[in-house]
Amino acid sequence: RECRAEVQRILHQRAMDVKLDPALQDKCLIDLGKWCSEKTETGQELECLQDHLDDLAVECRDIVGNLTELESEDIQIEALLMRACEPIIQNFCHDVADNQIDSGDLMECLIQNKHQKDMNEKCAIGVTHFQLVQMKDFRFSYKFKMACKEDVLKLCPNIKKKVDVVICLSTTVRNDTLQEAKEHRVSLKCRKQLRVEELEMTEDIRLEPDLYEACKSDIKNYCSTVQYGNAQIIECLKENKKQLSTRCHQKVFKLQETEMMDPELDYTLMRVCKQMIKRFCLEADSKNMLQCLKQNKNSELMDPKCKQMITKRQITQNTDYRLNPVLRKACKADIPKFCHGILTKAKDDSELEGQVISCLKLRYADQRLSSDCEDQIRIIIQESALDYRLDPQLQLHCSEEIASLCAEEAAAQEQTGQVEECLKVNLLKIKTELCKKLSVSSVFPLQKLCTMIFTFQEVLNMLKESKADIFVDPVLHTACALDIKHHCAAITPGRGRQMSCLMEALEDKRVRLQPECKKRLNDRIEMWSYAAKVAPADGFSDLAMQVMTSPSKNYILSVISGSICILFLIGLMCGRITKRVTRELKDR
């Protein structure tokens, strides 16, 4: 113990001043003059050499690397950092600080508590600096090195930089998981520490050098006032994604794709929703964390800030099916089958602006999707009905109309379908053709425009997305909630059945609907009537589908069959008459 304490004392002194380390001073004299001539305060020279590690002469680099490796094992060698971080160590890390052998635990604790309110600026800067130095070589992260050195030698030989090693190992883990390998090539202890490293890297964009280098100019242009740390720069880039340079945009898209597949790597989501995850998703798998939060989003106990963050992530997911792993898995056969044309025109690492999801919505209306895919699209329809921001196509084509006609509704903090209702009410004022079609289609929210046919006081053909029932029209559903309970409780939801029930009740003079429900239903009938004029059936197949999905299908088919029978009888009679006339002419 006495010997160890003496060695540590000497290392502390040497870390304070390079002059106290003869080998370091001798081998790094030229580099000190070249890179660190202005760094004269205690401890600054070594930090400067670490910052320029890749630029140093080989012998100097080896010595600085060895000293940095020792620091990673026992950060207490960094006396200046220890002094700056003393309050944080006392409050949050005293257990590991008291250990005789550090083994990297103290630095890990400081990193985890870097954003505590008690954290002072000097300590935060020192911890971040050490993290940045660690990225230069995986050996500078003691715990990572000890847990994964055998795996690195076997799977990632000749790779030195920590970020590259992390990517190499995590890619191997992902491939083994996707291929359901019987035995993982990366050891369990390495996988656990690898997870720690991945999570730490998400906190600061500078800890992901490729992303940082690709987005430097964009950070300057769009995020110059945003501070580093707490993933604030990354969040800023996401919010300005449409304005980013191509290379940066591609990197951000890839990052989002990774985060959506593994939400635990989404630092901002995990930070903002930390308490809600404990409340609602404590037993959820890390890969299903966002899905769990989405399912509990409208709970009365949901924190407003977390709810806002969940909505942000939903908006992102709906821009591209690749950012929605659950939808992608459920529709893996449907997407190439029905949306092949969109996929062939798509570019890697750039959003499809909701085109694939819109394509799937059309097939949902046609009842052509697989059951798993159908379930996911139904959820998207319901969510979009409540919040217009979840439909990229509507935002793309109706931004001017929303700003001019529905500004007040769009500004509402809580979206409950007001914007869609506003567009419906102002249907005749909409000039943009694409927006008009989307608005007409939003009579049943945000779907393709469909023909409505009215005969014998009954709607013979519901909107084309006939599976979507009243639950996707939140305003109408709220207005008619009591009437559904009283008159349609026995009707199974879906496929337009409850809507048909309400329409029949509206036509039945013996039934008295709630005034608001009656008004909303009459409004919908007017809109459907207008829809019939704006968008007739696309063709015979479209018309046939409308007939087959209509709640009055049996009646329509009976009429069609009767008409065919009558035509057949007329044809038969005409044929006999013609035959008799022909015979009479021959006899003459």
Side-chain angles (χ1 to χ4, degrees), residues 473-535:
D473 191 334
V475 174
L476 184 61
H477 187 261
T478 301
C480 296
L482 281 174
D483 294 297
I484 292 170
K485 187 177 180 180
H486 291 155
H487 307 296
C488 309
I491 306 296
T492 308
R495 305 198 172 218
R497 286 185 285 259
Q498 287 190 335
M499 179 63 82
S500 297
C501 172
L502 284 175
M503 298 303 286
E504 288 171 8
L506 181 66
E507 296 301 324
D508 192 338
K509 294 180 180 179
R510 296 170 298 175
V511 177
R512 295 186 64 182
L513 297 176
Q514 295 290 319
E516 184 64 17
C517 178
K518 190 173 182 178
K519 178 182 177 299
R520 294 292 179 185
L521 284 171
N522 284 319
D523 289 344
R524 295 302 183 267
I525 290 172
E526 287 181 22
M527 293 174 194
W528 291 335
S529 180
Y530 179 72
K533 298 173 185 176
V534 177

Side-chain angles (χ1 to χ4, degrees), residues 372-387:
D372 289 342
C373 185
E374 186 179 284
D375 291 341
Q376 289 305 314
I377 292 298
R378 185 185 297 113
I379 291 169
I380 289 174
I381 292 172
Q382 288 176 272
E383 290 170 346
S384 301
L386 289 168
D387 193 336

Side-chain angles (χ1 to χ4, degrees), residues 146-339:
M146 297 308 293
C148 296
K149 59 183 178 182
E150 292 177 5
D151 301 89
V152 173
L153 287 170
K154 182 174 65 175
L155 300 166
C156 312
N158 305 319
I159 298 179
K160 188 176 179 181
K161 287 188 176 181
K162 180 180 173 181
V163 64
D164 294 331
V165 172
V166 169
I167 291 170
C168 171
L169 292 175
S170 61
T171 302
T172 306
V173 172
R174 186 194 65 188
N175 290 341
D176 286 348
T177 303
L178 291 175
Q179 293 168 11
E180 298 180 353
K182 291 182 179 179
E183 189 174 337
H184 275 276
R185 287 173 287 175
V186 180
S187 64
L188 179 61
K189 65 177 181 178
C190 180
R191 292 204 304 273
K192 288 181 177 178
Q193 189 59 35
L194 179 64
R195 190 63 176 173
V196 174
E197 304 299 332
E198 286 177 324
L199 294 174
E200 285 181 3
M201 286 168 61
T202 63
E203 181 268 332
D204 193 319
I205 193 171
R206 293 171 296 181
L207 300 177
E208 299 194 47
D210 286 349
L211 177 63
Y212 183 51
E213 286 299 321
C215 296
K216 265 187 175 178
S217 61
D218 298 278
I219 292 169
K220 186 178 179 180
N221 292 334
Y222 306 110
C223 310
S224 57
T225 60
V226 181
Q227 292 185 342
Y228 287 96
N230 249 342
Q232 292 177 100
I233 295 287
I234 292 174
E235 200 62 28
C236 172
L237 290 173
K238 289 176 183 177
E239 289 173 1
N240 292 280
K241 193 164 59 170
K242 289 185 178 180
Q243 286 77 44
L244 300 180
S245 61
T246 303
R247 186 163 167 247
C248 179
H249 188 224
Q250 290 173 347
K251 292 287 184 183
V252 171
F253 180 84
K254 278 294 181 187
L255 174 68
Q256 289 182 311
E257 195 173 0
T258 302
E259 289 176 347
M260 292 302 179
M261 289 177 68
D262 190 352
E264 201 173 19
L265 297 177
D266 187 340
Y267 185 89
T268 306
L269 177 73
M270 300 305 290
R271 177 177 60 83
V272 174
C273 294
K274 185 177 180 179
Q275 296 304 319
M276 295 301 101
I277 289 169
K278 288 181 180 178
R279 174 171 287 171
F280 296 111
C281 309
L282 204 56
E283 297 181 3
D285 182 78
S286 61
K287 300 286 192 294
N288 298 322
M289 202 67 74
L290 180 57
Q291 193 70 11
C292 172
L293 288 170
K294 282 161 65 175
Q295 289 168 355
N296 293 281
K297 175 183 164 183
N298 295 316
S299 168
E300 293 179 356
L301 300 174
M302 177 58 71
D303 173 64
K305 288 183 178 179
C306 179
K307 185 174 182 178
Q308 189 177 12
M309 182 55 60
I310 296 167
T311 300
K312 274 188 178 182
R313 295 301 181 255
Q314 286 180 293
I315 292 169
T316 299
Q317 283 191 324
N318 284 3
T319 60
D320 197 300
Y321 77 98
R322 291 170 292 183
L323 300 178
N324 189 335
V326 178
L327 176 71
R328 190 173 184 174
K329 183 179 178 181
C331 300
K332 62 182 178 182
D334 303 84
I335 291 169
K337 182 179 178 181
F338 298 117
C339 311

Side-chain angles (χ1 to χ4, degrees), residues 59-95:
E59 290 181 335
C60 178
R61 185 165 64 236
D62 289 341
I63 291 175
V64 174
N66 290 336
L67 186 55
T68 306
E69 199 171 344
L70 285 171
E71 285 182 349
S72 73
E73 181 179 355
D74 185 1
I75 195 61
Q76 295 188 51
I77 291 172
E78 279 270 18
L80 287 176
L81 182 62
M82 290 301 97
R83 200 176 302 153
C85 295
E86 189 175 352
I88 295 294
I89 292 170
Q90 291 301 319
N91 290 338
F92 301 102
C93 308
H94 61 275
D95 292 339

Side-chain angles (χ1 to χ4, degrees), residues 16-35:
M16 293 278 285
D17 193 340
V18 295
K19 293 175 184 176
L20 298 177
D21 191 330
L24 183 64
Q25 188 180 18
D26 180 44
K27 300 297 182 184
C28 295
L29 193 61
I30 296 173
D31 289 298
L32 282 166
K34 186 177 181 180
W35 305 107

